[in-house]
Amino acid sequence: MSGPALQMRGVTKTYGTGALAYTALKGVDLQVDRGEFLMLVGPSGSGKTTLLSLMGCVLSPTSGEAYLFGEPLHGRTESQLPPLRLRYIGFIFQGHNLLPSLTATENVALTLELRGYSHRDAVKEAHHVLDRVGLLDKRESLPEDLSGGQRQRVAVARAIAGRPPLVLADEPTAALDAQSGMQVTTLLKELATELGNTVLVVTHDNRIFHLADRTIHIEDGRIVPPPRA
Amino acid sequence: MSVQGLAGASAWSRWRTMAGVGVRMMFHDRLKLLGTLTGVVFACLLSNQQAGTFLGLLGKNVMFIENASADVWIAPPFTRQFQGGKLLSDAVLNQARATPGVAWAEPLLLQTAQVQLPTGGSEPVSLVGTRAPRFAGGPWNLVAGDAPVLAQPLAMIFEDSEREKVGGLNLGSVREVNGHRVQVRGFTWGLLPFGPAYAFAEETLAREVLGLPADKHTFVLVGAAAGQSPEMLAEELQRRLPQTKVMTRGQYRGEVIKYLLTATAIGISFGTSTLFGLLVGFVTVALSMFSSVIDNIRQFGTLKAIGATTWDLAKLLFVQSCVYALTGSVIGLFLVTRIAEVSRNPNLAIVLPPWLLASTAGTMVLLCVSASFLSLLRLRKVEPAMVFR
């Protein structure tokens, strides 16, 4: 594969119709290169979540053009998006969103099995990535038996398992203390560098900004230049 | 191994994956599991108890026909139940005996008689008169004595469970039936139809007690010769005896059941109770599964976000439904069979034939799968984007 990981040209996203219509993104132009470690920042209601949802193939743009590893996202129905998510994207959610009934291994292996791994290979890969995030000894633990930092590390393991080319992280440090937040983001950065993933982190946490290769600012549905220090 | 190049899981492995997640989710939320299983168990218990009682009542009405050892019954015209009606003449008995394919033909008497109680008053019995030495239509399920004792003078066999009701009967007790002295020579168990309990006497004594002439019979019972089809024999006998109603054992049984279902409210009454049990189970399971989906909506959103489709979630619900249904059926059927055992008595038996138990599991799967549709409708609307909010 060659070309940028993600490309957007004049992308808009409008929710609702008529008088109730609300435009969350207003002509976004953006390019993310392969292997970049980006942070997306902006105030509440600026359109961060909508932009993340478009990048994550959980929403389709209303207008404009968007490409994920060269594959057009525009013009697709939402039922056509799950295969793209499986193929290209690993997710880290704000609240870790691990399934509470599954062990750490099973949470990681689930995504892999949905992608077509055999159960045996999925478990093997899950153990490998749990080892990489330092939680192999917790592989049979349920989320409720893990600390907040450990849960988020399992979420990181789930996101990078199978080496998806793009990892999207939504406020990964929001539920963590400063030390754990820094550890998780540093771990994510190290793994992304090692595995060659493109990573985009949505965050408010200015303590981790320095880890980014580039920071994208969004305000009122538009990409804006970074504010002067 | 890398994500790139993978075409996605095969249909079978997706089923297995979603089944695994579904079962783990079920057993993680034990309170919901208990609630849903209670609904299935209740539906299973109530519907089987009602259906079993219904079958027990049907059985009471046809048990004589099933146990009389006759292949073909010759009854008065328009007979729809097992009870005495217009009497048949001796000519019917002789004609039956003269018909090719008939191995034997015997008369059977059936009328209500009154047993005089030692304390005064009387108690009715359905007195059956059966001819020695074959005793066709004679007593079965005997707990004391045997059919040949009826050949002894004044001998009668009564129902064991009615002994106290008929004045504390014991073997050797002497009573008056319709003013005729008789002696207790045996007891049956469980021969209680809807009406008075059966009591048995040899034909001659029965005629005396009932005041029936020697050439009149309530039924004529026919045994088919070896290799003779009862259906064809019944057709031939009907052709020769057009003034009677000739039925094979199965036809007579069917006739009585049809009468009970169509001419009485028993079918509607028990059918309604059974459906009510299933309905309550359906509502409980539907609400419980829906509530579980609402409680875990974020988990389902996560599943969708990481690549599961609505169809995958439908598989998850289907597997959960089947596990609920089968687990609930096992528990429900265990309980209902225990209840049937404990409550079994001659007055009312809950009859649970294997086909009813087997069909229960199928019905419960249907019930639970149907009940899961409400949850599926909700899951269909779950947007994966919700996990970013």
Side-chain angles (χ1 to χ4, degrees), chain B residues 29-102:
Chain B
D29 191 348
R30 296 202 176 130
L31 206 60
K32 284 280 186 316
L33 174 71
L34 196 65
T36 312
L37 279 181
T38 302
V40 181
V41 169
F42 184 76
C44 187
L45 199 62
L46 191 57
S47 57
N48 272 282
Q49 190 266 339
Q50 288 297 309
T53 305
F54 176 61
L55 291 174
L57 289 175
L58 288 184
K60 279 178 165 294
N61 284 274
V62 297
M63 65 180 167
F64 203 107
I65 299 165
E66 288 174 339
N67 285 283
S69 72
D71 297 314
V72 176
W73 287 72
I74 303 175
F78 310 111
T79 296
R80 297 184 69 191
Q81 301 180 71
F82 181 69
Q83 61 182 36
K86 185 184 171 191
L87 296 172
L88 301 172
S89 71
D90 224 20
V92 172
L93 178 62
N94 294 331
Q95 179 65 261
R97 284 177 169 163
T99 301
V102 171

Side-chain angles (χ1 to χ4, degrees), chain A residues 1 49 52-53 58-59 82 85-88 91 93-94 97 99-103 106 110-111 113-117 119 121 125 142 144 158 161-165 170, chain B residues 1-10 13-14 16-18 20-21 24-26 28 296 298-300 302-309 312 383-385 387-389:
Chain A
M1 284 195 296
T49 299
L52 186 70
S53 299
V58 295
L59 291 177
R85 292 202 288 274
L86 277 176
R87 188 177 172 84
Y88 293 114
F91 289 100
F93 306 104
Q94 187 172 341
N97 283 29
L99 300 193
S101 53
L102 304 186
T103 63
E106 289 164 340
L110 172 62
T111 320
E113 287 186 46
L114 287 172
R115 286 173 179 159
Y117 280 61
H119 178 70
D121 287 341
E125 171 71 359
L142 292 172
E144 67 194 18
R158 179 174 65 181
R163 300 175 64 179
D170 181 25
Chain B
M1 197 182 294
S2 152
V3 165
Q4 287 146 52
L6 290 172
S10 69
S13 72
R14 280 232 170 185
R16 205 182 55 182
T17 302
M18 298 319 293
V21 174
R24 296 296 293 271
M25 284 174 88
M26 279 173 68
H28 188 72
N296 298 314
R298 201 161 177 86
Q299 291 184 48
F300 288 109
T302 304
L303 281 168
K304 277 197 166 181
I306 64 176
T309 61
D312 288 326
E383 291 179 16
V387 293
F388 293 128
R389 288 172 198 144

Side-chain angles (χ1 to χ4, degrees), chain B residues 276-310:
Chain B
F276 184 71
L278 292 175
L279 184 69
V280 170
F282 176 85
V283 171
T284 310
V285 173
L287 290 180
S288 188
M289 286 186 80
F290 186 74
S291 150
S292 179
V293 162
I294 297 299
D295 287 352
N296 298 314
I297 202 78
R298 201 161 177 86
Q299 291 184 48
F300 288 109
T302 304
L303 281 168
K304 277 197 166 181
I306 64 176
T309 61
T310 301

Side-chain angles (χ1 to χ4, degrees), chain A:
Chain A
M1 284 195 296
S2 59
L6 185 81
Q7 211 168 10
M8 289 185 169
R9 286 197 289 264
V11 166
T12 66
K13 180 64 186 178
T14 303
Y15 297 105
T17 54
L20 296 174
Y22 168 71
T23 301
L25 291 181
K26 301 164 181 170
V28 169
D29 295 314
L30 177 67
Q31 179 167 315
V32 178
D33 292 326
R34 288 165 192 261
E36 271 195 292
F37 193 90
L38 295 180
M39 291 200 186
L40 177 63
V41 297
S44 293
S46 60
K48 290 193 306 292
T49 299
T50 302
L51 185 55
L52 186 70
S53 299
L54 289 177
M55 290 173 172
C57 301
V58 295
L59 291 177
S60 295
T62 306
S63 66
E65 292 179 3
Y67 299 90
L68 183 68
F69 296 99
E71 292 207 39
L73 304 181
H74 51 279
R76 288 180 189 258
T77 62
E78 281 173 16
S79 63
Q80 293 172 320
L81 296 174
L84 290 178
R85 292 202 288 274
L86 277 176
R87 188 177 172 84
Y88 293 114
I89 305 168
F91 289 100
I92 301 168
F93 306 104
Q94 187 172 341
H96 68 75
N97 283 29
L98 299 175
L99 300 193
S101 53
L102 304 186
T103 63
T105 299
E106 289 164 340
N107 264 292
V108 177
L110 172 62
T111 320
L112 297 169
E113 287 186 46
L114 287 172
R115 286 173 179 159
Y117 280 61
S118 69
H119 178 70
R120 194 175 169 174
D121 287 341
V123 169
K124 197 173 159 190
E125 171 71 359
H127 286 167
H128 172 68
V129 290
L130 283 170
D131 190 26
R132 293 292 295 111
V133 301
L135 286 176
L136 189 59
D137 59 328
K138 299 284 184 186
R139 60 188 180 275
E140 298 308 321
S141 300
L142 292 172
E144 67 194 18
D145 299 323
L146 300 172
S147 68
Q150 287 173 329
R151 287 177 202 167
Q152 202 60 306
R153 277 152 68 194
V154 175
V156 170
R158 179 174 65 181
I160 62 164
R163 300 175 64 179
L166 176 64
V167 173
L168 298 178
D170 181 25
E171 304 271 10
T173 61
L176 302 178
D177 58 58
Q179 191 186 0
S180 299
M182 183 60 74
Q183 282 175 350
V184 164
T185 316
T186 305
L187 175 67
L188 181 60
K189 166 96 176 175
E190 285 171 6
L191 291 170
T193 306
E194 179 188 322
L195 301 171
N197 305 102
T198 306
V199 179
L200 187 135
V201 179
V202 172
T203 186
H204 280 110
D205 189 352
N206 55 16
R207 292 167 303 186
I208 61 170
F209 285 177
H210 68 280
L211 293 169
D213 296 334
R214 181 159 62 106
T215 302
I216 300 166
H217 293 259
I218 184 168
E219 271 184 39
D220 193 25
R222 291 186 177 87
I223 304 291
V224 296
R228 289 189 176 183

